[in-house]
Amino acid sequence: MERKISRREKECEEKQNNSESSEQDKDYKTSLITLNVGGYLYITQKQTLTKYPDSFLEGIINGKIMCPFDADGHYFIDRDGLLFRHILNFLRNGELLLPEGFRENQLLAKEADFFQLKVLSDAVKSRWEKEQLASRETTFLEITDSHDRSQGLRIFCNAPDFIAKIKSRIVLVSKSRLDGFPEEFSVSSNIIQFKYFIKSENGTRLVLKEDNTFVCTLETLKFEAIMTALKCGFRLLTSLDCSKGSIVHSDALHFIK
């Protein structure tokens, strides 16, 4: 008798656990929402879409706004499916995080306005304004010697961050080529100035160490500048001094994205 009661109790307990598990699975599934945005499917949680009250997505999920369904029963929103990735990431992270080189600020601002996400719209517009301001400000880096500033290399670009990056790269290369003599050049905000920077017989600018050996030619620095620019997605717009006849012999480089 005891054995039968124990078995029944065990069966009842298993049924109860299965029922609770089934209810949890059901609740979890109903919390998942699939959106069809311009032909792109996105699956996310209900709490993500309702994060900002009075937004377009919150209105759809809570039945305040009527939204059509596609053939599979998913909410269909006739907007840019690719850009919605950034809308959804903003809802998940609570901040604007865009990939490097993103250039669709105006379109993303329009999408943010449509989805009634003012915080996102303001963030995108602020980012856009900063980029436009930076694009109008041409930044430069000058590499020269302490005796004759008319000789050397000038690098122009409309991206201050790039100038900072290329400056640090050239300083790194110079230090490695100078082989323990970093005091042979100084660095300020926009100028790298070499103390022993002279002309060779063929007109090439060279760094001269105290033992009279040549290291780190200007051509090396030009090569480093161009390679760094290409890796960062910039292109050489023009040589500002075309009278030299080639990039190798020019006194200035102009990069732009």
Side-chain angles (χ1 to χ4, degrees):
M1 189 66 153
E2 291 178 0
R3 189 176 296 174
K4 288 184 178 179
I5 292 173
S6 177
R7 186 181 300 170
R8 287 178 181 176
E9 288 177 348
K10 187 176 181 180
E11 288 176 353
C12 289
E13 185 178 348
E14 288 178 352
K15 287 182 180 179
Q16 183 177 358
N17 290 336
N18 290 336
S19 177
E20 290 177 356
S21 177
S22 177
E23 287 296 323
Q24 290 177 355
D25 290 343
K26 186 177 180 181
D27 291 340
Y28 178 73
K29 289 178 180 178
T30 55
S31 71
L32 293 180
I33 306 293
T34 301
L35 300 175
N36 181 342
V37 184
Y40 290 82
L41 294 181
Y42 291 90
I43 301 176
T44 187
Q45 297 186 69
K46 180 179 179 181
Q47 64 188 41
T48 301
L49 298 175
T50 57
K51 186 174 183 179
Y52 289 87
D54 300 324
S55 69
F56 181 82
L57 293 170
E58 186 271 336
I60 288 177
I61 301 304
N62 290 330
K64 302 175 186 176
I65 299 175
M66 296 297 294
C67 180
F69 296 91
D70 65 11
D72 295 318
H74 307 313
Y75 290 108
F76 177 76
I77 304 175
D78 191 16
R79 301 299 297 184
D80 192 316
L82 285 174
L83 284 179
F84 187 74
R85 164 198 172 196
H86 306 300
I87 302 290
L88 192 55
N89 279 337
F90 174 78
L91 295 176
R92 290 166 174 161
N93 300 313
E95 60 179 320
L96 179 62
L97 299 172
L98 297 173
E100 185 177 351
F102 183 79
R103 288 291 180 270
E104 296 184 301
N105 294 297
Q106 189 173 6
L107 287 174
L108 184 56
K110 289 286 185 182
E111 295 302 298
D113 288 338
F114 173 83
F115 287 103
Q116 299 170 21
L117 295 167
K118 188 177 185 306
V119 178
L120 175 59
S121 178
D122 291 344
V124 175
K125 290 174 182 176
S126 176
R127 181 182 188 273
W128 185 21
E129 289 172 359
K130 288 179 180 178
E131 286 188 354
Q132 286 185 318
L133 181 62
S135 67
R136 291 193 293 267
E137 296 178 354
T138 300
T139 309
F140 76 94
L141 174 65
E142 183 177 340
I143 304 170
T144 184
D145 65 24
S146 59
H147 303 292
D148 186 2
R149 292 187 62 181
S150 66
Q151 300 296 327
L153 173 66
R154 294 164 193 81
I155 299 172
F156 295 83
C157 184
N158 59 358
D161 291 344
F162 170 73
I163 290 295
K165 183 172 184 177
I166 204 167
K167 181 172 70 174
S168 64
R169 175 61 183 163
I170 289 177
V171 168
L172 180 64
V173 171
S174 300
K175 283 185 176 181
S176 65
R177 298 297 177 90
L178 285 170
D179 193 24
F181 292 90
E183 71 278 4
E184 293 188 5
F185 68 93
S186 60
V187 182
S188 63
S189 59
N190 291 94
I191 298 176
I192 300 177
Q193 191 172 76
F194 287 87
K195 295 181 181 179
Y196 301 99
F197 206 48
I198 66 170
K199 276 188 178 181
S200 64
E201 293 180 359
N202 62 0
T204 304
R205 302 291 291 178
L206 301 169
V207 174
L208 179 64
K209 284 175 58 176
E210 291 180 353
D211 60 0
N212 292 327
T213 59
F214 291 113
V215 292
C216 197
T217 66
L218 185 60
E219 281 66 28
T220 299
L221 300 184
K222 289 180 184 179
F223 177 77
E224 290 293 335
I226 293 172
M227 291 304 297
T228 302
L230 294 178
K231 287 178 181 178
C232 293
F234 288 86
R235 60 190 176 89
L236 181 62
L237 181 64
T238 182
S239 166
L240 297 186
D241 184 0
C242 299
S243 63
K244 300 294 183 180
S246 71
I247 295 174
V248 175
H249 297 100
S250 65
D251 293 333
L253 302 173
H254 192 174
F255 298 106
I256 195 169
K257 248 181 187 176

